[in-house]
Amino acid sequence: MTLTVLAAAAILLLAGCTEKPETPPGTSSGPSLSKAALPYADAPKVENPMSASVIQRDPCDVLTPAQISSLFQGKPEVQPARDTGVAQQCRWADISRGSSIGIQLLYAARDGLSQFYAKKQSNGLWQLLEPVQGYPAVAYGAKDTRQTLGDCSVLVGVADNAVFEVDVNVADAKAGTVDPCKDARMVADLAVTTLKSGA
């Protein structure tokens, strides 16, 4: 990714935000949805999977300081890592601009993307995206609020039994004029780079 592309994407990201739901649809703290071999429900098989243990790391370390600096014009506030009951979550926000980025390591999604594919018909937004460095990705949500709220959540399967989520919000003034899912996928690409490096 060139610096020009990063800068352009960062401009889109830095417009503003609204708060995301704490519990992503399709996750559960209970046992796996199926005893069938992974993947199932037409979910893609993850080639060259990472260790599922990457989901156990600190979510605030998934984006490096350098990556965060490339996404915000000023120094953003970091909301401390928190356990939502289905994920370890970290958020960065530029209060002056109202922008934010969230990373959720979905430890409750023990069936990986299959768990979400099995419930995709109940989503208002379900859009397959270009894989992120070879890892399957999908934009999803209970409702499609890309145009009305300017937000998007993107899931990336890093193993058949491991998935993380990126949440991005843009300003109300930008809602309907940009695609927040493109920004979320770009952030996911940065996250995958960090996860692959083991940093």
Side-chain angles (χ1 to χ4, degrees):
M1 180 177 297
T2 65
L3 291 177
T4 301
V5 173
L6 262 178
I11 290 172
L12 296 179
L13 278 172
L14 296 175
C17 72
T18 56
E19 188 65 25
K20 292 295 294 180
E22 294 181 0
T23 303
T27 56
S28 169
S29 58
S32 296
L33 294 179
S34 172
K35 293 182 179 180
L38 296 176
Y40 59 83
D42 294 325
K45 183 167 183 59
V46 178
E47 303 296 339
N48 302 311
M50 298 183 197
S51 168
S53 65
V54 298
I55 300 302
Q56 304 302 320
R57 65 180 293 161
D58 185 336
C60 294
D61 291 337
V62 173
L63 294 176
T64 68
Q67 290 169 337
I68 291 296
S69 294
S70 75
L71 298 171
F72 291 92
Q73 292 183 2
K75 185 176 181 179
E77 292 187 10
V78 182
Q79 298 179 9
R82 58 192 297 262
D83 190 330
T84 68
V86 296
Q88 290 291 336
Q89 179 189 69
C90 189
R91 296 187 69 81
W92 296 263
D94 185 336
I95 302 302
S96 65
R97 293 177 178 270
S99 58
S100 75
I101 297 167
I103 296 288
Q104 296 195 63
L105 302 180
L106 301 170
Y107 62 76
R110 299 184 182 95
D111 287 358
L113 284 177
S114 296
Q115 196 160 322
F116 294 87
Y117 269 73
K119 297 183 177 182
K120 68 181 181 180
Q121 298 300 326
S122 63
N123 286 282
L125 170 62
W126 185 267
Q127 179 182 352
L128 299 183
L129 302 177
E130 181 181 351
V132 177
Q133 299 186 38
Y135 296 97
V138 60
Y140 87 116
K143 296 181 179 180
D144 185 351
T145 53
R146 291 173 295 177
Q147 298 297 307
T148 56
L149 298 179
D151 63 357
C152 184
S153 295
V154 168
L155 297 165
V156 179
V158 294
D160 289 338
N161 61 342
V163 60
F164 75 88
E165 177 176 326
V166 173
D167 304 312
V168 164
N169 301 85
V170 298
D172 291 340
K174 293 291 185 180
T177 66
V178 297
D179 183 357
C181 294
K182 289 184 178 180
D183 294 334
R185 186 191 174 280
M186 186 270 292
V187 175
D189 184 77
L190 295 176
V192 166
T193 295
T194 302
L195 292 173
K196 286 173 66 176
S197 72

